[in-house]
């Protein structure tokens, strides 16, 4: 996990992390798999489902690629650069295959879905290609690939949510976990490949979500992040026709235990409704933090992006959030240099960022993705130099906003969930406040000063990415 909230130009949230189970215990498996995940948190969460399916088949996980019988890459297609990184990695893996002919290499996730059997046939880089809705068929596909057959399943589903599969927590700190609540996306933002790689939106059985969160709490976890491409449009109807909206799901999760923090990601601004905001305000254990991707601050560009809101509507939404929860942290995603973007449009983006006073943003250069509405309808006509220059301005502004936001916290006291040692020193703890800001503070011999505990911390200093504090021992 990123330890700081340092704004940066982000290509993929985390890249190529190798996994092993949280508890580090390897059971008596007769074969080993190695998995690397790229892209969004959904992919990291899916890798935990895949690990569970493979464990059932006698595969244990390893962090050492050289001892693996099966190497998997869970891939991302969101920007071209994400795909280039994966291709490079696959070429590196090919040399292992040369030395060990029995080794199987598989591509999972969004790139598998986008390129389908092309990866297998044209480029001969891999043995297995499995899309995000087809992981249950992995065991059969591994068998087929082992016999030298083409093993591809990229069928998308309208129902699959893997609700009944208990994820194997990989690389976990034992305190914070991600719980997938929905899959797919129906929004069709014109720049975005996700609706094509992840398929139609579908929500997971609310009871299975609450059961998973409860089990995590009982195992000692103290924070769950409910995951989906668009969590606010969560909607599930049970057998007796009772409906569960996102606001109701949040409430159910909040009621599990006041000591369990609830977060969620990501929210499309159009779906953050008053009932969601009031539910957040009602329960202190639902974190005061909303990731509310803006993309562009120009109404004209937003229309081309098919985002369904105007700049004024978005600004009003931010105001509404702060009315209901004055202490709510807000972060954003911004795209620089979308098709036809003028200097004026770009200034509109900077202006909305300033008005929203984001604590943090993920900022990207527009990357045309084949098959998307934008690729079909509009020319990718902003020169690379201009895109880069606009991105630099956006990043510089966000750096200033983050520092201003952090400076305002100096002197305040926050309840922090201790996640583990700070990256820099094992004499310091690292944790987050409700607003998702990272706090670093010295360990003390107070009984509360332990991983997984809540502790009050007074902020005494800050950088652009981190609040520096001291624990107030009770
Ligand atoms: N479902 C999430 C976004 C998932 S993709 C949401 O709607 O909020 C994460 C971010 O990647 C997007 O918010 C967008 O800012 C960025 N992104 C998506 N497609 C992109 C593209 N073609 N070029 C550049 N950035 C893109
Ligand atoms: Fe992509 Fe838009 Fe769906 Fe987010 S809401 S995944 S940006 S189509
Ligand atoms: Fe990437 Fe797919 Fe996530 S394209 S951002 S891994 S949904």
């Amino acid at each position: 996990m990123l330890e700081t909230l340092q704004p940066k130009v982000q290509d993929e949230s985390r890249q190529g992390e190798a996994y092993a189970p949280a508890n580090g215990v390897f059971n008596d498996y007769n074969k080993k798999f190695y998995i690397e995940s790229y892209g969004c948190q959904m992919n990291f969460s899916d890798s935990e489902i895949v690990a569970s399916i493979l464990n059932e088949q006698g595969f244990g996980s390893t962090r050492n690629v050289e001892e693996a019988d099966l190497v998997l890459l869970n891939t991302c297609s969101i920007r071209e650069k994400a795909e280039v990184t994966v291709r490079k990695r696959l070429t590196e893996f090919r040399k292992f295959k040369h030395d060990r002919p029995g080794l199987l290499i598989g591509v999972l996730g969004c790139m598998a879905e986008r390129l389908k059997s092309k990866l297998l046939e044209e480029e001969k880089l891999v043995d297995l290609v499995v899309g995000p809705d087809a992981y249950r068929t992995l065991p059969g596909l591994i068998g087929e690939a082992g016999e030298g057959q083409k093993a591809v399943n990229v069928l998308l589903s309208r129902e699959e949510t893997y609700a009944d599969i208990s994820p194997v927590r990989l690389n976990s700190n034992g305190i914070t976990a991600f719980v997938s609540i929905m899959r797919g996306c129906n929004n069709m933002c014109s720049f975005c490949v996700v609706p094509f790689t992840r398929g139609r939106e579908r929500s997971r059985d609310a009871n299975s979500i609450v059961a998973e969160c409860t089990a995590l709490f009982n195992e000692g976890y103290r924070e769950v992040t409910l995951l989906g491409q668009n969590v606010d449009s969560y909607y599930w109807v049970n057998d007796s026709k009772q409906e569960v909206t996102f606001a109701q799901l949040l409430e159910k999760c909040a009621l599990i235990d006041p000591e369990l923090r609830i977060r969620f990601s990501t929210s499309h601004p159009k779906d953050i409704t008053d009932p969601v905001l009031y539910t957040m305000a009602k329960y202190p254990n639902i974190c005061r933090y909303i990731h509310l991707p803006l993309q562009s601050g120009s109404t004209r560009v937003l229309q081309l992006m098919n985002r369904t809101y105007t700049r004024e509507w978005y600004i009003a939404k931010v105001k509404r959030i702060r009315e209901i929860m004055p202490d709510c942290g807000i972060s954003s995603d911004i795209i620089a240099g979308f098709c036809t973007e003028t200097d004026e449009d770009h200034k509109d983006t900077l202006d909305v960022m300033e008005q929203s006073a984001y604590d943090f943003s993920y900022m990207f250069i527009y990357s045309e993705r084949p098959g998307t509405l934008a690729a079909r309808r509009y020319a990718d006509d902003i020169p690379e130099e201009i895109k880069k220059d606009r991105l630099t301005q956006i990043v510089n502004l966000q750096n200033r906003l983050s520092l201003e936001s952090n400076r305002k916290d100096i002197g305040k006291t926050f309840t922090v969930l201790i996640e583990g040692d700070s990256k820099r020193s094992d004499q310091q703890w690292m944790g987050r406040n409700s607003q998702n800001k990272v706090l670093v503070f010295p360990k003390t011999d107070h009984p509360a000063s332990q991983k997984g505990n809540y502790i009050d911390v007074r902020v005494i200093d800050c950088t652009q990415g981190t609040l520096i504090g001291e624990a107030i021992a009770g």
Side-chain angles (χ1 to χ4, degrees):
M1 288 294 294
L2 296 172
E3 192 182 312
T4 64
L5 286 176
Q6 193 91 34
K8 58 178 195 136
V9 183
Q10 198 214 23
D11 287 302
E12 292 80 48
S13 53
R14 292 192 291 169
Q15 280 203 352
E17 211 164 280
Y19 279 144
N23 57 11
V25 176
F26 294 102
N27 296 327
D28 241 358
Y29 297 114
N30 48 20
K31 290 185 198 140
K32 292 209 161 80
F33 75 94
Y34 170 93
I35 189 164
E36 274 179 19
S37 297
Y38 296 79
C40 65
Q41 205 55 60
M42 288 294 288
N43 251 14
F44 284 72
S45 178
D46 280 1
S47 291
E48 300 187 331
I49 302 277
V50 167
S52 175
I53 292 168
L54 292 177
N55 279 178
E56 294 277 305
Q57 297 299 310
F59 281 90
S61 68
T62 173
R63 275 196 216 199
N64 178 3
V65 64
E66 297 192 12
E67 64 171 23
D69 305 284
L70 173 66
V71 170
L72 298 171
L73 263 70
N74 198 354
T75 62
C76 174
S77 290
I78 200 82
R79 283 165 290 275
E80 197 185 349
K81 218 172 146 193
E83 293 200 356
V84 171
T85 311
V86 166
R87 277 178 198 279
K88 262 198 216 136
R89 201 68 182 126
L90 284 173
T91 321
E92 284 166 27
F93 284 142
R94 213 160 30 176
K95 70 174 186 287
F96 290 114
K97 206 164 160 60
H98 190 260
D99 296 341
R100 289 158 49 211
L103 175 71
L104 293 179
I105 298 180
V107 172
L108 314 178
C110 291
M111 219 173 137
E113 192 61 50
R114 197 179 83 71
L115 296 168
K116 304 189 167 49
S117 54
K118 223 175 129 188
L119 278 166
L120 234 159
E121 285 156 8
E122 289 172 24
E123 309 181 21
K124 304 215 177 346
L125 286 173
V126 298
D127 307 291
L128 277 162
V129 178
V130 191
D133 286 347
Y135 297 144
R136 280 182 206 269
T137 65
L138 260 169
L141 292 168
I142 292 167
E144 287 169 25
E147 287 163 15
Q149 297 175 41
K150 285 180 190 165
V152 185
N153 188 349
V154 288
L155 285 176
L156 287 171
S157 155
R158 281 175 180 257
E159 285 95 35
E160 181 63 273
T161 59
Y162 301 110
D164 55 313
I165 297 182
S166 283
V168 173
R169 304 287 159 191
L170 297 161
N171 264 18
S172 162
N173 58 9
I175 309 296
T176 58
F178 292 89
V179 174
S180 168
I181 66 163
M182 58 165 326
R183 300 179 72 83
C185 181
N186 287 356
N187 280 333
M188 287 302 200
C189 302
S190 65
F191 51 80
C192 185
V193 77
V194 171
F196 304 94
T197 60
R198 293 268 166 175
R200 305 293 290 171
E201 200 170 281
R202 68 220 92 124
S203 296
R204 176 178 168 190
D205 178 332
N207 299 322
S208 78
I209 297 168
V210 175
E212 187 175 327
C213 295
T214 309
L216 284 165
F217 181 75
N218 292 335
E219 287 167 35
Y221 287 82
R222 289 295 172 262
E223 183 180 296
V224 291
T225 302
L226 307 179
L227 277 187
Q229 291 301 343
N230 186 16
V231 284
D232 313 81
S233 64
Y234 178 88
Y235 181 77
W236 183 75
V237 183
N238 73 8
D239 292 340
S240 22
K241 300 270 179 288
Q242 276 174 313
E243 56 176 34
V244 181
T245 62
F246 182 60
Q248 288 162 335
L249 179 72
L250 268 181
E251 180 158 49
K252 281 175 190 290
C253 294
L255 287 170
I256 293 171
D257 196 291
E259 293 278 297
L260 181 68
R261 271 185 174 176
I262 315 296
R263 297 189 186 277
F264 54 89
S265 182
T266 301
S267 309
H268 191 295
K270 77 174 164 53
D271 299 311
I272 275 276
T273 58
D274 275 7
V276 171
L277 298 177
Y278 283 123
T279 307
M280 289 177 74
K282 186 172 166 193
Y283 294 96
N285 59 331
I286 305 179
C287 290
R288 264 77 183 125
Y289 168 65
I290 300 179
H291 185 60
L292 197 72
L294 168 69
Q295 315 299 2
S296 166
S298 151
T299 297
R300 190 186 67 82
V301 173
L302 284 169
Q303 211 161 15
L304 294 183
M305 287 178 162
N306 201 20
R307 286 293 283 185
T308 74
Y309 51 85
T310 62
R311 103 192 225 100
E312 290 75 22
W313 189 94
Y314 182 93
I315 292 167
K317 187 55 79 178
V318 169
K319 197 167 153 236
R320 186 75 183 135
I321 293 170
R322 298 226 159 100
E323 253 165 37
I324 297 177
M325 284 174 292
D327 60 343
C328 192
I330 302 181
S331 60
S332 192
D333 291 349
I334 315 274
I335 297 178
F338 186 67
C339 317
T340 80
E341 187 186 72
T342 63
D343 277 338
E344 276 310 303
D345 293 321
H346 169 62
K347 285 198 185 101
D348 281 349
T349 298
L350 297 174
D351 180 59
V352 179
M353 287 177 70
E354 186 100 45
Q355 289 198 49
S356 306
Y358 296 127
D359 300 300
F360 175 70
S361 289
Y362 294 105
M363 299 155 278
F364 314 99
I365 279 182
Y366 172 59
S367 161
E368 186 179 82
R369 306 311 293 130
T372 55
L373 265 132
R376 281 183 277 142
R377 281 193 198 155
Y378 317 121
D380 181 9
D381 57 355
I382 307 301
E384 202 57 26
E385 281 314 300
I386 296 183
K387 282 183 178 173
K388 280 189 187 153
D389 182 51
R390 288 182 185 162
L391 180 69
T392 306
Q393 292 180 36
I394 288 168
V395 170
N396 289 343
L397 172 58
Q398 185 55 57
N399 287 347
R400 171 165 71 71
L401 294 175
S402 298
L403 189 59
E404 281 171 12
S405 162
N406 281 356
R407 283 202 178 128
K408 279 193 200 145
D409 287 338
I410 295 178
K412 291 186 192 163
T413 298
F414 294 104
T415 301
V416 172
L417 173 61
I418 304 177
E419 290 180 24
D421 287 351
S422 130
K423 263 189 200 156
R424 297 233 172 99
S425 155
D426 62 5
Q427 301 303 304
Q428 305 245 332
W429 287 125
M430 170 270 171
R432 279 165 216 269
N433 65 8
S434 179
Q435 290 73 12
N436 207 29
K437 285 189 181 175
V438 171
L439 282 95
V440 172
F441 52 99
K443 294 179 179 177
T444 63
D445 49 16
H446 189 272
S449 181
Q450 275 183 38
K451 186 174 162 182
N453 275 355
Y454 292 99
I455 191 161
D456 285 345
V457 179
R458 188 190 304 119
V459 178
I460 53 173
D461 198 1
C462 72
T463 65
Q464 184 190 292
T466 311
L467 299 178
I468 296 152
E470 56 191 13
I472 305 176

